Amino acid sequence: MNIQEFIGNFAAQFDDTDEALITPDTKFKQLDEWSSLTALSIIAMVDDEYDVILKGNDIINSETIQELFDIVCNYKK
């Protein structure tokens, strides 16, 4: 698992946001398309792709995609 793969999977949850705008430093909750439904999609994607169950607090406490990626990596250990 690497950050670029994670970004690709993360970006796939958005319909109108250009993947080029999404980087490790992106503050994902500031994206125009971000919503509670998107959060649920991200939780489902992480479960499907990485076999990790994110909690709501994991998303609440993360500001950037890198921080969320780090949480997923820590659960994988």
Side-chain angles (χ1 to χ4, degrees):
M1 173 171 53
N2 65 55
I3 188 67
Q4 292 307 320
E5 173 189 311
F6 186 79
I7 288 172
N9 290 329
F10 188 96
Q13 307 310 306
F14 295 87
D15 294 325
D16 298 323
T17 302
D18 185 356
E19 183 175 342
L21 298 175
I22 300 177
T23 69
D25 296 325
T26 299
K27 294 181 178 182
F28 59 89
K29 290 180 254 183
Q30 293 178 1
L31 295 170
D32 289 340
E33 278 189 88
W34 183 258
S35 69
S36 58
L37 290 177
T38 310
L40 292 174
S41 294
I42 297 298
I43 290 170
M45 176 275 292
V46 169
D47 184 21
D48 289 344
E49 296 293 326
Y50 305 104
D51 200 29
V52 169
I53 305 294
L54 286 177
K55 298 172 184 72
N57 281 341
D58 294 328
I59 291 180
I60 290 168
N61 294 329
S62 298
E63 198 169 316
T64 66
I65 292 173
Q66 181 69 55
E67 290 173 358
L68 194 59
F69 175 75
D70 292 343
I71 290 170
V72 172
C73 288
N74 284 335
Y75 279 133
K76 287 293 282 184
K77 291 181 179 178

